[in-house]
Amino acid sequence: MSTSGEESGAECPYCGSTETEREHPKGPSLCRSMHFCTACEQPFEKFE
C-alpha cells in the first residue's frame, strides 16, 4: 500500500464501515494516515 492517492475505502475500526475519508495524506509517520468515518463520525489512524 501507499500513502499517496488513496482517498477512501479504509475500514473503520469502530464500526467496520468503508465509508471513510482520508483527512491527511500522511499521519505522524510515513506508515500511518489519518481517516474519518462518515458512518460513526470517528477519526482513526490507518497503518499501511
Side-chain angles (χ1 to χ4, degrees), residues 7-23 33-46:
E7 292 294 326
S8 64
E11 185 175 323
C12 175
Y14 301 106
C15 71
S17 174
T18 55
E19 296 298 317
T20 60
E21 298 175 357
R22 177 175 274 182
E23 291 189 327
S33 57
M34 300 300 296
H35 294 261
F36 180 78
C37 179
T38 56
C40 69
E41 300 183 347
Q42 293 292 318
F44 65 94
E45 286 183 339
K46 178 183 175 188

PDB file of all heavy atoms in Angstrom, residues 7-23 33-46:
ATOM      1  N   GLU A   7      -7.995   7.833  -1.430  1.00  0.00           N
ATOM      2  CA  GLU A   7      -8.852   8.834  -0.807  1.00  0.00           C
ATOM      3  C   GLU A   7      -9.854   8.231   0.165  1.00  0.00           C
ATOM      4  O   GLU A   7     -10.255   8.858   1.110  1.00  0.00           O
ATOM      5  CB  GLU A   7      -9.614   9.624  -1.879  1.00  0.00           C
ATOM      6  CG  GLU A   7      -8.723  10.502  -2.727  1.00  0.00           C
ATOM      7  CD  GLU A   7      -8.078  11.634  -1.956  1.00  0.00           C
ATOM      8  OE1 GLU A   7      -8.715  12.163  -1.030  1.00  0.00           O
ATOM      9  OE2 GLU A   7      -6.941  11.981  -2.275  1.00  0.00           O
ATOM     10  N   SER A   8     -10.314   7.020  -0.081  1.00  0.00           N
ATOM     11  CA  SER A   8     -11.351   6.432   0.758  1.00  0.00           C
ATOM     12  C   SER A   8     -11.249   4.928   0.733  1.00  0.00           C
ATOM     13  O   SER A   8     -10.413   4.358   0.057  1.00  0.00           O
ATOM     14  CB  SER A   8     -12.729   6.882   0.282  1.00  0.00           C
ATOM     15  OG  SER A   8     -12.959   6.395  -1.018  1.00  0.00           O
ATOM     16  N   GLY A   9     -12.124   4.288   1.490  1.00  0.00           N
ATOM     17  CA  GLY A   9     -12.195   2.845   1.460  1.00  0.00           C
ATOM     18  C   GLY A   9     -11.492   2.160   2.608  1.00  0.00           C
ATOM     19  O   GLY A   9     -11.565   0.949   2.721  1.00  0.00           O
ATOM     20  N   ALA A  10     -10.821   2.912   3.493  1.00  0.00           N
ATOM     21  CA  ALA A  10     -10.214   2.296   4.664  1.00  0.00           C
ATOM     22  C   ALA A  10     -11.335   1.838   5.592  1.00  0.00           C
ATOM     23  O   ALA A  10     -12.330   2.526   5.763  1.00  0.00           O
ATOM     24  CB  ALA A  10      -9.319   3.297   5.374  1.00  0.00           C
ATOM     25  N   GLU A  11     -11.174   0.661   6.177  1.00  0.00           N
ATOM     26  CA  GLU A  11     -12.222   0.138   7.057  1.00  0.00           C
ATOM     27  C   GLU A  11     -12.109   0.759   8.438  1.00  0.00           C
ATOM     28  O   GLU A  11     -11.048   0.772   9.051  1.00  0.00           O
ATOM     29  CB  GLU A  11     -12.107  -1.376   7.160  1.00  0.00           C
ATOM     30  CG  GLU A  11     -13.236  -1.979   7.968  1.00  0.00           C
ATOM     31  CD  GLU A  11     -13.209  -3.480   7.983  1.00  0.00           C
ATOM     32  OE1 GLU A  11     -12.867  -4.079   6.950  1.00  0.00           O
ATOM     33  OE2 GLU A  11     -13.529  -4.047   9.031  1.00  0.00           O
ATOM     34  N   CYS A  12     -13.219   1.272   8.941  1.00  0.00           N
ATOM     35  CA  CYS A  12     -13.278   1.886  10.261  1.00  0.00           C
ATOM     36  C   CYS A  12     -13.108   0.804  11.333  1.00  0.00           C
ATOM     37  O   CYS A  12     -13.829  -0.192  11.319  1.00  0.00           O
ATOM     38  CB  CYS A  12     -14.604   2.610  10.445  1.00  0.00           C
ATOM     39  SG  CYS A  12     -14.831   3.288  12.106  1.00  0.00           S
ATOM     40  N   PRO A  13     -12.181   0.998  12.277  1.00  0.00           N
ATOM     41  CA  PRO A  13     -12.001   0.001  13.336  1.00  0.00           C
ATOM     42  C   PRO A  13     -13.128   0.018  14.375  1.00  0.00           C
ATOM     43  O   PRO A  13     -13.256  -0.912  15.161  1.00  0.00           O
ATOM     44  CB  PRO A  13     -10.671   0.413  13.975  1.00  0.00           C
ATOM     45  CG  PRO A  13     -10.562   1.867  13.706  1.00  0.00           C
ATOM     46  CD  PRO A  13     -11.226   2.087  12.370  1.00  0.00           C
ATOM     47  N   TYR A  14     -13.954   1.056  14.370  1.00  0.00           N
ATOM     48  CA  TYR A  14     -15.035   1.182  15.344  1.00  0.00           C
ATOM     49  C   TYR A  14     -16.330   0.515  14.877  1.00  0.00           C
ATOM     50  O   TYR A  14     -16.969  -0.196  15.636  1.00  0.00           O
ATOM     51  CB  TYR A  14     -15.303   2.654  15.673  1.00  0.00           C
ATOM     52  CG  TYR A  14     -14.089   3.346  16.235  1.00  0.00           C
ATOM     53  CD1 TYR A  14     -13.371   4.250  15.461  1.00  0.00           C
ATOM     54  CD2 TYR A  14     -13.644   3.072  17.517  1.00  0.00           C
ATOM     55  CE1 TYR A  14     -12.243   4.872  15.967  1.00  0.00           C
ATOM     56  CE2 TYR A  14     -12.515   3.685  18.032  1.00  0.00           C
ATOM     57  CZ  TYR A  14     -11.818   4.589  17.259  1.00  0.00           C
ATOM     58  OH  TYR A  14     -10.700   5.196  17.749  1.00  0.00           O
ATOM     59  N   CYS A  15     -16.712   0.753  13.603  1.00  0.00           N
ATOM     60  CA  CYS A  15     -17.994   0.221  13.132  1.00  0.00           C
ATOM     61  C   CYS A  15     -17.864  -0.699  11.917  1.00  0.00           C
ATOM     62  O   CYS A  15     -18.837  -1.302  11.502  1.00  0.00           O
ATOM     63  CB  CYS A  15     -18.968   1.362  12.831  1.00  0.00           C
ATOM     64  SG  CYS A  15     -18.541   2.323  11.367  1.00  0.00           S
ATOM     65  N   GLY A  16     -16.673  -0.778  11.312  1.00  0.00           N
ATOM     66  CA  GLY A  16     -16.462  -1.652  10.174  1.00  0.00           C
ATOM     67  C   GLY A  16     -16.853  -1.067   8.827  1.00  0.00           C
ATOM     68  O   GLY A  16     -16.704  -1.708   7.805  1.00  0.00           O
ATOM     69  N   SER A  17     -17.349   0.163   8.813  1.00  0.00           N
ATOM     70  CA  SER A  17     -17.766   0.805   7.573  1.00  0.00           C
ATOM     71  C   SER A  17     -16.562   1.138   6.692  1.00  0.00           C
ATOM     72  O   SER A  17     -15.473   1.413   7.193  1.00  0.00           O
ATOM     73  CB  SER A  17     -18.535   2.087   7.893  1.00  0.00           C
ATOM     74  OG  SER A  17     -18.828   2.807   6.707  1.00  0.00           O
ATOM     75  N   THR A  18     -16.765   1.140   5.384  1.00  0.00           N
ATOM     76  CA  THR A  18     -15.729   1.610   4.467  1.00  0.00           C
ATOM     77  C   THR A  18     -16.085   2.990   3.918  1.00  0.00           C
ATOM     78  O   THR A  18     -15.444   3.474   2.993  1.00  0.00           O
ATOM     79  CB  THR A  18     -15.518   0.617   3.305  1.00  0.00           C
ATOM     80  OG1 THR A  18     -16.763   0.392   2.650  1.00  0.00           O
ATOM     81  CG2 THR A  18     -14.939  -0.696   3.801  1.00  0.00           C
ATOM     82  N   GLU A  19     -17.102   3.612   4.491  1.00  0.00           N
ATOM     83  CA  GLU A  19     -17.474   4.981   4.122  1.00  0.00           C
ATOM     84  C   GLU A  19     -16.583   5.936   4.901  1.00  0.00           C
ATOM     85  O   GLU A  19     -17.004   6.565   5.872  1.00  0.00           O
ATOM     86  CB  GLU A  19     -18.954   5.236   4.435  1.00  0.00           C
ATOM     87  CG  GLU A  19     -19.907   4.391   3.631  1.00  0.00           C
ATOM     88  CD  GLU A  19     -19.798   4.644   2.136  1.00  0.00           C
ATOM     89  OE1 GLU A  19     -19.698   5.822   1.731  1.00  0.00           O
ATOM     90  OE2 GLU A  19     -19.793   3.671   1.375  1.00  0.00           O
ATOM     91  N   THR A  20     -15.317   5.996   4.502  1.00  0.00           N
ATOM     92  CA  THR A  20     -14.337   6.801   5.213  1.00  0.00           C
ATOM     93  C   THR A  20     -13.661   7.782   4.275  1.00  0.00           C
ATOM     94  O   THR A  20     -13.643   7.587   3.058  1.00  0.00           O
ATOM     95  CB  THR A  20     -13.270   5.904   5.869  1.00  0.00           C
ATOM     96  OG1 THR A  20     -12.606   5.161   4.852  1.00  0.00           O
ATOM     97  CG2 THR A  20     -13.898   4.934   6.874  1.00  0.00           C
ATOM     98  N   GLU A  21     -13.103   8.823   4.852  1.00  0.00           N
ATOM     99  CA  GLU A  21     -12.375   9.834   4.090  1.00  0.00           C
ATOM    100  C   GLU A  21     -11.003  10.004   4.692  1.00  0.00           C
ATOM    101  O   GLU A  21     -10.854  10.027   5.913  1.00  0.00           O
ATOM    102  CB  GLU A  21     -13.115  11.176   4.154  1.00  0.00           C
ATOM    103  CG  GLU A  21     -14.498  11.147   3.555  1.00  0.00           C
ATOM    104  CD  GLU A  21     -15.229  12.458   3.746  1.00  0.00           C
ATOM    105  OE1 GLU A  21     -14.694  13.376   4.397  1.00  0.00           O
ATOM    106  OE2 GLU A  21     -16.353  12.561   3.243  1.00  0.00           O
ATOM    107  N   ARG A  22     -10.002  10.138   3.839  1.00  0.00           N
ATOM    108  CA  ARG A  22      -8.654  10.415   4.322  1.00  0.00           C
ATOM    109  C   ARG A  22      -8.570  11.897   4.660  1.00  0.00           C
ATOM    110  O   ARG A  22      -8.861  12.750   3.817  1.00  0.00           O
ATOM    111  CB  ARG A  22      -7.625  10.046   3.261  1.00  0.00           C
ATOM    112  CG  ARG A  22      -6.218  10.372   3.690  1.00  0.00           C
ATOM    113  CD  ARG A  22      -5.234   9.898   2.684  1.00  0.00           C
ATOM    114  NE  ARG A  22      -4.931   8.507   2.999  1.00  0.00           N
ATOM    115  CZ  ARG A  22      -4.056   7.788   2.332  1.00  0.00           C
ATOM    116  NH1 ARG A  22      -3.429   8.284   1.307  1.00  0.00           N
ATOM    117  NH2 ARG A  22      -3.830   6.547   2.679  1.00  0.00           N
ATOM    118  N   GLU A  23      -8.196  12.204   5.899  1.00  0.00           N
ATOM    119  CA  GLU A  23      -8.107  13.601   6.328  1.00  0.00           C
ATOM    120  C   GLU A  23      -6.782  14.235   5.930  1.00  0.00           C
ATOM    121  O   GLU A  23      -6.725  15.387   5.549  1.00  0.00           O
ATOM    122  CB  GLU A  23      -8.287  13.705   7.843  1.00  0.00           C
ATOM    123  CG  GLU A  23      -9.698  13.386   8.289  1.00  0.00           C
ATOM    124  CD  GLU A  23      -9.916  13.690   9.754  1.00  0.00           C
ATOM    125  OE1 GLU A  23      -8.974  13.546  10.547  1.00  0.00           O
ATOM    126  OE2 GLU A  23     -11.033  14.080  10.093  1.00  0.00           O
ATOM    127  N   SER A  33      -1.772   6.984   8.275  1.00  0.00           N
ATOM    128  CA  SER A  33      -2.544   8.067   7.667  1.00  0.00           C
ATOM    129  C   SER A  33      -3.799   8.280   8.507  1.00  0.00           C
ATOM    130  O   SER A  33      -4.310   7.364   9.135  1.00  0.00           O
ATOM    131  CB  SER A  33      -2.903   7.743   6.215  1.00  0.00           C
ATOM    132  OG  SER A  33      -3.620   6.531   6.132  1.00  0.00           O
ATOM    133  N   MET A  34      -4.285   9.513   8.527  1.00  0.00           N
ATOM    134  CA  MET A  34      -5.443   9.873   9.324  1.00  0.00           C
ATOM    135  C   MET A  34      -6.696   9.802   8.465  1.00  0.00           C
ATOM    136  O   MET A  34      -6.724  10.305   7.353  1.00  0.00           O
ATOM    137  CB  MET A  34      -5.289  11.291   9.886  1.00  0.00           C
ATOM    138  CG  MET A  34      -4.083  11.464  10.783  1.00  0.00           C
ATOM    139  SD  MET A  34      -4.092  10.384  12.220  1.00  0.00           S
ATOM    140  CE  MET A  34      -5.528  10.971  13.076  1.00  0.00           C
ATOM    141  N   HIS A  35      -7.738   9.157   8.988  1.00  0.00           N
ATOM    142  CA  HIS A  35      -9.009   8.998   8.291  1.00  0.00           C
ATOM    143  C   HIS A  35     -10.155   9.412   9.200  1.00  0.00           C
ATOM    144  O   HIS A  35     -10.004   9.495  10.413  1.00  0.00           O
ATOM    145  CB  HIS A  35      -9.205   7.529   7.878  1.00  0.00           C
ATOM    146  CG  HIS A  35      -8.220   7.064   6.860  1.00  0.00           C
ATOM    147  ND1 HIS A  35      -8.519   6.995   5.524  1.00  0.00           N
ATOM    148  CD2 HIS A  35      -6.947   6.660   6.971  1.00  0.00           C
ATOM    149  CE1 HIS A  35      -7.473   6.554   4.865  1.00  0.00           C
ATOM    150  NE2 HIS A  35      -6.498   6.345   5.736  1.00  0.00           N
ATOM    151  N   PHE A  36     -11.322   9.645   8.597  1.00  0.00           N
ATOM    152  CA  PHE A  36     -12.538   9.980   9.335  1.00  0.00           C
ATOM    153  C   PHE A  36     -13.674   9.121   8.803  1.00  0.00           C
ATOM    154  O   PHE A  36     -13.889   9.055   7.599  1.00  0.00           O
ATOM    155  CB  PHE A  36     -12.873  11.472   9.152  1.00  0.00           C
ATOM    156  CG  PHE A  36     -14.106  11.889   9.893  1.00  0.00           C
ATOM    157  CD1 PHE A  36     -14.069  12.120  11.254  1.00  0.00           C
ATOM    158  CD2 PHE A  36     -15.309  12.040   9.225  1.00  0.00           C
ATOM    159  CE1 PHE A  36     -15.212  12.505  11.944  1.00  0.00           C
ATOM    160  CE2 PHE A  36     -16.457  12.425   9.901  1.00  0.00           C
ATOM    161  CZ  PHE A  36     -16.411  12.654  11.269  1.00  0.00           C
ATOM    162  N   CYS A  37     -14.391   8.459   9.694  1.00  0.00           N
ATOM    163  CA  CYS A  37     -15.516   7.613   9.299  1.00  0.00           C
ATOM    164  C   CYS A  37     -16.780   8.462   9.217  1.00  0.00           C
ATOM    165  O   CYS A  37     -17.160   9.098  10.198  1.00  0.00           O
ATOM    166  CB  CYS A  37     -15.703   6.483  10.306  1.00  0.00           C
ATOM    167  SG  CYS A  37     -17.103   5.416   9.895  1.00  0.00           S
ATOM    168  N   THR A  38     -17.427   8.466   8.062  1.00  0.00           N
ATOM    169  CA  THR A  38     -18.652   9.250   7.903  1.00  0.00           C
ATOM    170  C   THR A  38     -19.860   8.518   8.473  1.00  0.00           C
ATOM    171  O   THR A  38     -20.898   9.123   8.703  1.00  0.00           O
ATOM    172  CB  THR A  38     -18.902   9.604   6.424  1.00  0.00           C
ATOM    173  OG1 THR A  38     -18.944   8.406   5.667  1.00  0.00           O
ATOM    174  CG2 THR A  38     -17.804  10.510   5.892  1.00  0.00           C
ATOM    175  N   ALA A  39     -19.726   7.222   8.739  1.00  0.00           N
ATOM    176  CA  ALA A  39     -20.844   6.449   9.300  1.00  0.00           C
ATOM    177  C   ALA A  39     -20.979   6.678  10.811  1.00  0.00           C
ATOM    178  O   ALA A  39     -22.058   6.997  11.295  1.00  0.00           O
ATOM    179  CB  ALA A  39     -20.658   4.969   8.999  1.00  0.00           C
ATOM    180  N   CYS A  40     -19.875   6.516  11.552  1.00  0.00           N
ATOM    181  CA  CYS A  40     -19.947   6.680  13.014  1.00  0.00           C
ATOM    182  C   CYS A  40     -19.280   7.955  13.494  1.00  0.00           C
ATOM    183  O   CYS A  40     -19.239   8.236  14.685  1.00  0.00           O
ATOM    184  CB  CYS A  40     -19.361   5.466  13.723  1.00  0.00           C
ATOM    185  SG  CYS A  40     -17.576   5.272  13.559  1.00  0.00           S
ATOM    186  N   GLU A  41     -18.742   8.745  12.560  1.00  0.00           N
ATOM    187  CA  GLU A  41     -18.149  10.053  12.835  1.00  0.00           C
ATOM    188  C   GLU A  41     -16.982   9.991  13.815  1.00  0.00           C
ATOM    189  O   GLU A  41     -16.823  10.843  14.680  1.00  0.00           O
ATOM    190  CB  GLU A  41     -19.216  11.045  13.321  1.00  0.00           C
ATOM    191  CG  GLU A  41     -20.311  11.245  12.288  1.00  0.00           C
ATOM    192  CD  GLU A  41     -21.341  12.259  12.686  1.00  0.00           C
ATOM    193  OE1 GLU A  41     -21.390  12.666  13.868  1.00  0.00           O
ATOM    194  OE2 GLU A  41     -22.114  12.676  11.815  1.00  0.00           O
ATOM    195  N   GLN A  42     -16.127   8.968  13.648  1.00  0.00           N
ATOM    196  CA  GLN A  42     -14.946   8.816  14.486  1.00  0.00           C
ATOM    197  C   GLN A  42     -13.683   8.963  13.640  1.00  0.00           C
ATOM    198  O   GLN A  42     -13.588   8.390  12.556  1.00  0.00           O
ATOM    199  CB  GLN A  42     -14.941   7.439  15.156  1.00  0.00           C
ATOM    200  CG  GLN A  42     -16.024   7.228  16.177  1.00  0.00           C
ATOM    201  CD  GLN A  42     -15.816   8.102  17.397  1.00  0.00           C
ATOM    202  OE1 GLN A  42     -14.712   8.269  17.899  1.00  0.00           O
ATOM    203  NE2 GLN A  42     -16.907   8.676  17.867  1.00  0.00           N
ATOM    204  N   PRO A  43     -12.695   9.708  14.123  1.00  0.00           N
ATOM    205  CA  PRO A  43     -11.398   9.743  13.440  1.00  0.00           C
ATOM    206  C   PRO A  43     -10.589   8.504  13.830  1.00  0.00           C
ATOM    207  O   PRO A  43     -10.772   7.951  14.914  1.00  0.00           O
ATOM    208  CB  PRO A  43     -10.757  11.015  13.995  1.00  0.00           C
ATOM    209  CG  PRO A  43     -11.363  11.169  15.353  1.00  0.00           C
ATOM    210  CD  PRO A  43     -12.761  10.615  15.262  1.00  0.00           C
ATOM    211  N   PHE A  44      -9.730   8.055  12.924  1.00  0.00           N
ATOM    212  CA  PHE A  44      -8.856   6.913  13.232  1.00  0.00           C
ATOM    213  C   PHE A  44      -7.608   6.960  12.367  1.00  0.00           C
ATOM    214  O   PHE A  44      -7.572   7.619  11.344  1.00  0.00           O
ATOM    215  CB  PHE A  44      -9.599   5.587  13.065  1.00  0.00           C
ATOM    216  CG  PHE A  44     -10.032   5.282  11.661  1.00  0.00           C
ATOM    217  CD1 PHE A  44      -9.254   4.518  10.818  1.00  0.00           C
ATOM    218  CD2 PHE A  44     -11.241   5.758  11.181  1.00  0.00           C
ATOM    219  CE1 PHE A  44      -9.661   4.239   9.516  1.00  0.00           C
ATOM    220  CE2 PHE A  44     -11.667   5.486   9.885  1.00  0.00           C
ATOM    221  CZ  PHE A  44     -10.863   4.718   9.056  1.00  0.00           C
ATOM    222  N   GLU A  45      -6.572   6.253  12.818  1.00  0.00           N
ATOM    223  CA  GLU A  45      -5.356   6.117  12.058  1.00  0.00           C
ATOM    224  C   GLU A  45      -5.352   4.784  11.349  1.00  0.00           C
ATOM    225  O   GLU A  45      -5.799   3.783  11.899  1.00  0.00           O
ATOM    226  CB  GLU A  45      -4.138   6.145  12.981  1.00  0.00           C
ATOM    227  CG  GLU A  45      -3.797   7.495  13.529  1.00  0.00           C
ATOM    228  CD  GLU A  45      -2.535   7.452  14.364  1.00  0.00           C
ATOM    229  OE1 GLU A  45      -2.147   6.380  14.845  1.00  0.00           O
ATOM    230  OE2 GLU A  45      -1.941   8.517  14.527  1.00  0.00           O
ATOM    231  N   LYS A  46      -4.855   4.792  10.137  1.00  0.00           N
ATOM    232  CA  LYS A  46      -4.695   3.546   9.377  1.00  0.00           C
ATOM    233  C   LYS A  46      -3.208   3.287   9.237  1.00  0.00           C
ATOM    234  O   LYS A  46      -2.452   4.161   8.819  1.00  0.00           O
ATOM    235  CB  LYS A  46      -5.349   3.663   8.005  1.00  0.00           C
ATOM    236  CG  LYS A  46      -5.174   2.404   7.170  1.00  0.00           C
ATOM    237  CD  LYS A  46      -5.773   2.566   5.800  1.00  0.00           C
ATOM    238  CE  LYS A  46      -5.480   1.350   4.951  1.00  0.00           C
ATOM    239  NZ  LYS A  46      -5.877   1.550   3.571  1.00  0.00           N
TER     240      LYS A  46
END
